[in-house]
Amino acid sequence: MPVSGEAASAGPDEHARTGLPDAGPEAAGPGPGAATVLHSLDGGVSWITLNRPEAMNAVTWDQRERIIALLADASADPGVRAVVLTATGRGFCAGADLRGAPAPARERVPGDVARTIRLGAQRLIAAVLDCEKPVIAAVNGTAAGIGAHLAFACDLVLAADTATFIEVFVRRGLVPDGGGAYLLPRLVGPQRAKELMFFGDALTAADAERLGLVNRTVPSGELEALAEEWAGRLAAGPTRALALTKQLVNASLDGDRATAFAAEAAAQEINMTTRDANEGVASFVERRSPEYRGC
């Protein structure tokens, strides 16, 4: 997949204690000073790649901030029309590596943990949900804890057949964070969500697809090509219409019918001012393929 050496400042290169195995000898790692978040723009697709294979891509504070910034850039840049979020090595994201975070300036007091969650894990997940471009997760390996939620927050999820998803929090005696208790019931229903969160069992890519957490499961060697294909189709689509559709779907389970219908009408009103909407109608009348420009 297209990547460049655009870097996030790396935190300490230590594996998060998630109960998962270390990456092992495969992980010579990107090396000192190498980019821990790779980024490139290719054909209107912003590729964001976690690059700490030696730590199963356990995400550091610096990586999190870089991903949030890149997603905000994607929303604001008319040249970006789709986003792919993926990783190198055997892990998609093995959770949070808190040792990359700035050291606290004082002893912890009540309210600090909640604030850390709001400004950290929840900001990361919100950045994916609120991105104005469609986001595809190409899950190449283990997605655990916040890593699983990072994938589930994406609009479309593709997975290698070797990938696994783990609600690892219960193994450490923790409550799920990063929006897990918000995302999972909406994707699989409350009973399935509780099963995953209560037991913390590893879920194979095939089982995740069966439950509706994954759109497609493919052999590992085919994941990149499928991500490129889907992202290319999205990048060729009516970008503003996709953004408004994403907003409607994401909000649909949080309000009543009247609110949803009002939001739908408002979205249609906004969208009909775009060039792409007019092009879509004109191409239908003229019996030709539309040429969308993302505006």
Side-chain angles (χ1 to χ4, degrees), residues 69-271:
L70 287 169
L71 290 167
D73 290 346
S75 289
D77 185 353
V80 176
R81 299 177 64 181
V83 177
V84 176
L85 184 59
T86 190
T88 59
R90 295 190 296 113
F92 175 74
C93 177
D97 189 343
L98 299 181
R99 275 167 280 193
R106 54 168 171 74
E107 183 178 353
R108 190 172 73 193
V109 298
D112 283 350
V113 172
R115 187 180 309 104
T116 297
I117 295 299
R118 286 197 307 271
L119 298 179
Q122 291 177 354
R123 275 181 62 242
L124 177 60
I125 298 307
V128 178
L129 293 171
D130 295 339
C131 182
E132 296 177 26
K133 310 298 166 63
V135 183
I136 297 173
V139 182
N140 54 297
T142 300
I146 187 65
H149 300 166
L150 184 61
F152 298 153
C154 291
D155 302 301
L156 300 168
V157 183
L158 308 176
D161 56 6
T162 54
T164 56
F165 299 85
I166 311 172
E167 287 295 319
V168 76
F169 300 94
V170 70
R171 298 185 184 184
R172 305 275 72 82
L174 301 174
V175 172
D177 63 27
Y182 173 86
L183 294 167
L184 276 169
R186 286 163 169 75
L187 293 168
V188 299
Q191 280 75 25
R192 289 290 192 185
K194 291 171 188 174
E195 178 183 347
L196 295 171
M197 291 180 167
F198 286 1
F199 295 116
D201 294 333
L203 189 68
T204 66
D207 284 340
E209 182 177 2
R210 177 177 55 82
L211 291 177
L213 291 167
V214 168
N215 293 88
R216 297 286 189 279
T217 299
V218 294
S220 295
E222 299 176 14
L223 180 64
E224 179 182 331
L226 184 60
E228 288 180 352
E229 177 192 345
W230 281 33
R233 291 176 64 187
L234 292 171
T239 305
R240 294 311 305 163
L242 291 175
L244 291 165
T245 301
K246 173 176 178 171
Q247 291 173 13
L248 289 174
V249 173
N250 285 353
S252 65
L253 297 177
D254 297 331
D256 56 23
R257 186 182 69 182
T259 301
F261 277 23
E264 177 184 272
Q268 288 284 21
E269 179 74 24
I270 294 168
N271 190 63

